[in-house]
Every structure is written in structure tokens, then in C-alpha cells.
Amino acid sequence: PVAKVAVISVVLGLVIAADDMMYASGLKYLPVSTYSLICASQLAFNVVFSYVLNSQKLTGLIFNAVILLTLSDALLGVNHDETEDMSGMPRGKYLMGILLPLGASGTYSLILSLMQLTFENVIKKHTYTAVLNMQIYTALVATIASMVGLFASGEWRMMTEEMDTFRSGQFSYFMTLVWTAVSWQITSVGVVGLVFEVSSLFSNVISTVSLPIVPLFAVLIFHDTMDGIKIIAMLIAAWGFVSYLMQHFIDD
């Protein structure tokens, strides 16, 4: 059903563009720690959507994994150094800052569950091409929608100023955008592939467990400090991930 898959790709692409917009906009109104805490709720949302849309079996081990991984992300959020003073933020904008990442987290979880539903009930092909098609077409639609928004809002005129004020220079600014985009596309192929091979919940678990590991790379590459909170977050995340794997071991 090519026409049905095309419609689904367009709809999912537009939803992804809106979801990314909510994530980015929410960060303007909130401190990083509060923002991170709210975004950690995406795994809880995914449990609900997986149960309703994908008939995900929920067990004690899965609930244990979700709680531990969410707690691990929350610890990192609380431990994050603030770089902006939000004391003068109007109450309305602060409330918007809470609602936007909360809505984005729920929408992201819904997208993963809808992708799994599409693979199981519409595409019904267990091929790597199916994964690439899902990623390429939805990302293409999301990119077009974002570009339309950029030019329609007139904010494209500010890009020259941003490039000029970038401390490392215009070339570094351009390369940062390019390689960030490439990296996200590679990541997205992995995310969609895990939805395809296992489930939307498993894909979200992998994404969540990777967050506490980021400080380890920061220590190795940027010589960042590794404090006790980061170590505890990594251990809790590992515990949650092992709990989730135990459930798969029992099921098999």
C-alpha cells in the first residue's frame, strides 16, 4: 500500500517537525535542569502508548526499568550547572516552558509507538529498506516543514549575524550544523531500527540509558569532571537496563 505509507510518512514527518519545535522552544523558557527533568518523562509516556497501541506486556521488571531510567535522567537534570538566570521570566512563559517539553516528550513517545504500529500493520516487511524508507521520508518531510517555517518567520535573516558572532568562526558554525544534522540522521536510523526489530519501548529505553553515559565521554574527550551524582546516575541506568534485559531473557 504505497499510497497509505506515503500519507503516514507525511503525517509523521509533520508531527516530528512540530515535536522538535516544542523541544527547542521549551528550552528558551526553562533552566536546563528543569527542562531535563521534564524530558525524562518520555519513557513513562512510552509505557502508556506502548500498552494502548502496541499491546506491550507490562511486568514488574519493565516498570522497575522505567522508574530507574527515569530517575537516572532526573539526577542528571538536578546536577546540571545552570548557565542562565530565569528569575525574571514571566509566569506565563515559564508555564509555557513546562508545557512545551512535556508535550514534546509525550509526542516523541507517540511517534515511536505509531512507527511500530505502521511496521506491524501496514508495511509488514522485515527488511532494512523498510527502516531506511521510514527514516528518510519522515525526515525529509520534517526538514521541508522546518525550512518553510524558517523562511516564513523571517528568522533566516538572523543566520548571518549568528555566523558572525560564533566564536570559532563562520566555517566552524557551518560544519557544526552539517555534522550535527548527519549525526542525528544516523541516530534516527538506529532509533527506528530498534522500533522495527524489537519495540518502541525498547528503542526508548536504549535512548534513555545512553544519556547517563554521555558524561563518561565528556570526561574522556573534554576532560570534564566526574562527580558522585553522575556515577550514581550511570549505575542506576545500568541497573534499569539490566532489569529490562532480564524481562526479555525470561520471555525468550
Side-chain angles (χ1 to χ4, degrees):
V2 178
K4 186 179 291 187
V5 173
V7 171
I8 291 174
S9 297
V10 171
V11 172
L12 284 178
L14 293 175
V15 174
I16 290 172
D19 188 47
D20 292 343
M21 186 65 184
M22 286 191 288
Y23 271 125
S25 299
L27 193 56
K28 293 193 301 183
Y29 306 125
L30 286 180
V32 174
S33 61
T34 307
Y35 178 85
S36 301
L37 285 171
I38 296 174
C39 290
S41 66
Q42 68 181 40
L43 200 53
F45 279 113
N46 211 161
V47 170
V48 177
F49 289 128
S50 295
Y51 179 77
V52 174
L53 297 177
N54 310 125
S55 301
Q56 173 73 45
K57 182 176 70 173
L58 301 180
T59 65
L61 285 172
I62 288 180
F63 274 118
N64 183 61
V66 170
I67 292 172
L68 290 174
L69 289 169
T70 303
L71 177 61
S72 174
D73 280 2
L75 280 175
L76 286 180
V78 171
N79 192 50
H80 202 290
D81 294 330
E82 302 296 353
T83 57
E84 295 183 72
D85 181 17
M86 298 289 182
S87 58
M89 179 68 65
R91 186 172 182 178
K93 289 187 177 181
Y94 188 80
L95 179 61
M96 185 66 67
I98 293 176
L99 294 177
L100 283 172
L102 189 64
S105 299
T107 303
Y108 176 75
S109 301
L110 177 61
I111 290 169
L112 295 183
S113 292
L114 289 176
M115 284 184 173
Q116 182 179 344
L117 199 64
T118 302
F119 282 132
E120 293 174 347
N121 299 331
V122 180
I123 297 177
K124 298 179 181 179
K125 293 181 179 179
H126 200 84
T127 62
Y128 186 63
T129 304
V131 175
L132 286 180
N133 287 341
M134 174 66 74
Q135 168 57 23
I136 291 172
Y137 295 137
T138 54
L140 182 61
V141 172
T143 301
I144 293 173
S146 300
M147 294 298 292
V148 170
L150 177 66
F151 284 96
S153 65
E155 292 188 9
W156 62 274
R157 299 186 184 92
M158 301 171 58
M159 293 187 67
T160 302
E161 181 181 349
E162 287 186 2
M163 293 175 66
D164 291 337
T165 55
F166 197 68
R167 285 187 299 176
S168 300
Q170 293 186 357
F171 180 74
S172 295
Y173 177 88
F174 177 74
M175 294 304 293
T176 299
L177 291 182
V178 169
W179 290 110
T180 299
V182 171
S183 300
W184 270 114
Q185 290 305 308
I186 295 173
T187 301
S188 297
V189 170
V191 168
V192 176
L194 288 175
V195 172
F196 178 73
E197 289 289 346
V198 188
S199 68
S200 61
L201 185 58
F202 183 80
S203 179
N204 211 340
V205 165
I206 295 296
S207 299
T208 305
V209 79
S210 66
L211 185 58
I213 301 175
V214 172
L216 182 60
F217 287 96
V219 171
L220 296 175
I221 299 174
F222 300 111
H223 307 292
D224 199 0
T225 57
M226 175 65 76
D227 56 28
I229 295 294
K230 293 177 182 178
I231 295 174
I232 292 173
M234 289 176 60
L235 293 176
I236 292 176
W239 181 11
F241 184 58
V242 170
S243 178
Y244 194 91
L245 290 183
M246 280 298 297
Q247 183 59 57
H248 277 274
F249 177 77
I250 292 172
D251 291 340
D252 291 340

